[in-house]
Amino acid sequence: RLEPDIYYWRDSNANEVDLIVSLGNKLVPVAIKCGQTFNSDMLKELVFWRNLTNCPDHPGVLIYGGAKPLRFKGLEILPWYMC
């Protein structure tokens, strides 16, 4: 079994994505936040990545300090304990 390659990405304007996971021919952005209550501001970097790649349906994952897994605007939102 091959492990995925994992990267950090940041541009010259300080836009960043905590992790970019390479799965075959797909790059999946992952945001990591410590907040226990989900709010849509937590998705800023994932939305930025979608705009950058010109793919509004691009998959993405938010890992956060909350207790419930969620789905919001096609993005997976997972508590720490599920990762």
Side-chain angles (χ1 to χ4, degrees):
R1 171 181 131 142
L2 295 175
E3 296 296 322
D5 291 324
I6 299 174
Y7 305 94
Y8 167 78
W9 180 86
R10 181 180 170 137
D11 70 9
S12 61
N13 295 317
N15 295 301
E16 64 183 3
V17 176
D18 296 324
L19 300 172
I20 302 289
V21 181
S22 177
L23 298 171
N25 64 348
K26 291 185 178 184
L27 297 176
V28 179
V30 179
I32 302 170
K33 305 296 179 197
C34 64
Q36 294 183 352
T37 303
F38 169 74
N39 69 66
S40 60
D41 288 344
M42 293 177 161
L43 301 173
K44 179 182 170 188
E45 60 195 81
L46 300 178
V47 171
F48 180 84
W49 183 262
R50 283 179 163 182
N51 292 334
L52 180 70
T53 60
N54 199 27
C55 186
D57 296 327
H58 200 285
V61 177
L62 168 68
I63 299 169
Y64 81 123
K68 291 183 176 182
L70 306 165
R71 194 159 172 79
F72 185 80
K73 295 188 177 182
L75 298 166
E76 295 294 327
I77 301 162
L78 301 173
W80 291 78
Y81 73 87
M82 292 184 71
C83 300

